[in-house]
Amino acid sequence: MTVNRPTLRSALALAALLACGAAASAKTLVYCAEGSPENFTPALNTTGTSFDAAKPVYDHLTQFARGTTQVEPGLAESWTVSPDSKVFTFKLRHGVKFHSGVNGFTPTRDFNADDVVWSFERQWKPDHPYAKVSGGKYDYFADMGLKDDLVSIEKLDPYTVRLTLKKPNVTMLANLAMDFAAIHSAEYADFLAKGNRKEQFDQIPVGTGPFQFVAYQKDAVIRYKANPAYWGEKAKVDSLVFAITTDPTARYSKLKAGECHVSAYPRPADLPEMQKDAALKVISMPGLNIGYWAFNVQKPPLDKKEVRQALTMAIDKAAILKDVYMGAGTAAVNFIPPTMAAFNGAVKDYPYDPAKAKALLAKAGVKTPLDIDLWYMPVQRPYNPNAKRMAEMMQADLAKVGVNAKLVTYEWGEYRKRLQQGEPMTALFGWNGDNGDPDNFFFLHGCDAARPGGNNISKWCDKAYDAKLTQARTLTDAKARTKLYQEMQVMEHDAQPDDKIAHSVVFEVLRKEVVGYKQSPFNTHQFNGVELK
């Protein structure tokens, strides 16, 4: 990335402070983050690590009430939706200030409709001046169908914006509260373009959020300061620091030493000790997530559903839940977790049955030994606390039915990109819901997301399934939508494009002095409204 020298000096100075434990002062809140962001523009990303790093900086037209799935006004203070759910008209909030002094930029105006139009057209229009900056891949926007479904995003006046779709979409207000829909400063973009510094736009962010970006040193630290002009729930600390600490044991040590106040992704094995520590608070909630093993249906013999079903039956899921999740997970049957109203409890999981797995492989004409690859994530995720251990257990199970699995991994960003391009035969992956609507899970099996670079890792595209996905977005009747989603779960089960392994319980650990923190159902981490006592 490119940073100016004062910014880099600030980052290094802060890293030194952290090393001395000095960052745990009364006015500085320190979050032990598990990884480094790819950049600070959510539209370019699909991982929670990158979303978390951008969250303090940006706002959205709509937002989720902190700690809930409830949609509430954000930069749009009100809206109207046409009866056919195709036209959304937003009345924007007046007097909202962009951050000042970041990267030499001082805004000359408040947030307005130009910023909204700019932010969405960057993802939508190939001729947008920033469309190809930082690689120009907007996976969420494309995978959710907006690239094709959007008719227009119009400025009706300085504080009114109208968004028009080709097809009805009752999920739209929740979608716009998601990270990819963050609103940027069009004026900051112009400022950088005039200085021939467009590449800095996604690395040195300017937003309207509760915290302002100060400095970033990759794999070490991100520093923010409170935005006193914030329009919403303000920061209650002077500074926010992300102490990037990839190892869970090191995060635990920093918590105990007071060098971090909040940490996610604890090792399940450490939880009993953490719960006994009077200086710590362990909080948890059922995860809105799914950990799964994807089968690339474009790669023979995985193009045959019998082979995918056989591989599923070769895996001892109960052993994985015991050894990897250590009681902090439940066996997954469907893609959506059972806490969601659309969950189809009539669908039955495939049994662990090595003998039947062998028979199915033979029936499909597969000669053993069969060589496959099995990719696993190099990092902890909310849906998988130890992917390497899981892959090793699966490798041993598969060997018992004549399948030789070669274990493969890459650096996290590279891993995700290669998966989305369809490179592996099979891969461990997962998803944490980020808008509370079932559509947010089912679109991962949609045909839009099966394109190269899309989030449909199995590349499974079933036109009948896709038609139900599209139809569900048009229905305001919850029962009618649920019926479609339950039918889709049966279709997923029969085709088995992936083995649904587990829904995890999500744990986070805080120091006792942290007050006002709310755990998010989306497994994001939000720090406005949080203070230290």
Side-chain angles (χ1 to χ4, degrees), residues 253-313:
S253 295
K254 287 186 176 184
L255 271 172
K256 289 193 290 186
E259 295 176 17
C260 287
H261 298 106
V262 181
S263 179
Y265 314 116
R267 288 197 320 142
D270 291 332
L271 287 169
E273 183 181 341
M274 290 175 164
Q275 288 163 336
K276 294 175 185 175
D277 191 331
L280 303 178
K281 293 184 288 188
V282 178
I283 59 176
S284 66
M285 65 166 48
L288 193 68
N289 62 34
I290 173 71
Y292 61 90
W293 181 30
F295 306 124
N296 189 331
V297 303
Q298 296 178 351
K299 298 201 171 190
L302 298 173
D303 54 337
K304 297 179 179 180
K305 71 176 183 179
E306 293 83 5
V307 174
R308 304 193 294 268
Q309 292 168 349
L311 295 181
T312 297
M313 287 188 280

Side-chain angles (χ1 to χ4, degrees), residues 293-303 307-308 311 366 370-375 403-406 408 415 418-419 421-428 457-459 496-498:
W293 181 30
F295 306 124
N296 189 331
V297 303
Q298 296 178 351
K299 298 201 171 190
L302 298 173
D303 54 337
V307 174
R308 304 193 294 268
L311 295 181
V366 173
L370 169 66
D371 292 330
I372 66 170
D373 57 35
L374 198 174
W375 292 31
V403 176
N404 299 323
K406 178 184 177 182
V408 179
Y415 181 90
R418 287 174 179 261
L419 255 64
Q421 287 299 325
E423 188 172 321
M425 287 184 73
T426 79
L428 293 178
I457 305 304
S458 65
K459 306 306 175 188
Q496 197 64 356
D498 29 52

Side-chain angles (χ1 to χ4, degrees), residues 497-514:
D498 29 52
D499 180 13
K500 293 84 175 168
I501 295 172
H503 307 290
S504 73
V505 177
V506 178
F507 291 91
E508 296 181 45
V509 191
L510 324 174
R511 289 194 58 82
K512 287 286 188 183
E513 57 266 31
V514 176

Side-chain angles (χ1 to χ4, degrees), residues 447 461-468 491:
C447 293
C461 171
D462 182 295
K463 295 298 184 182
Y465 178 96
D466 210 56
K468 291 180 187 291
M491 297 171 77

Side-chain angles (χ1 to χ4, degrees), residues 16-26 28 30 259:
L17 285 175
L18 278 172
C20 297
S25 63
T28 298
V30 182
E259 295 176 17

Side-chain angles (χ1 to χ4, degrees), residues 352-369:
Y352 170 53
D353 191 335
K356 192 170 182 180
K358 285 183 179 180
L360 264 180
L361 288 173
K363 182 180 177 182
V366 173
K367 294 182 179 179
T368 55

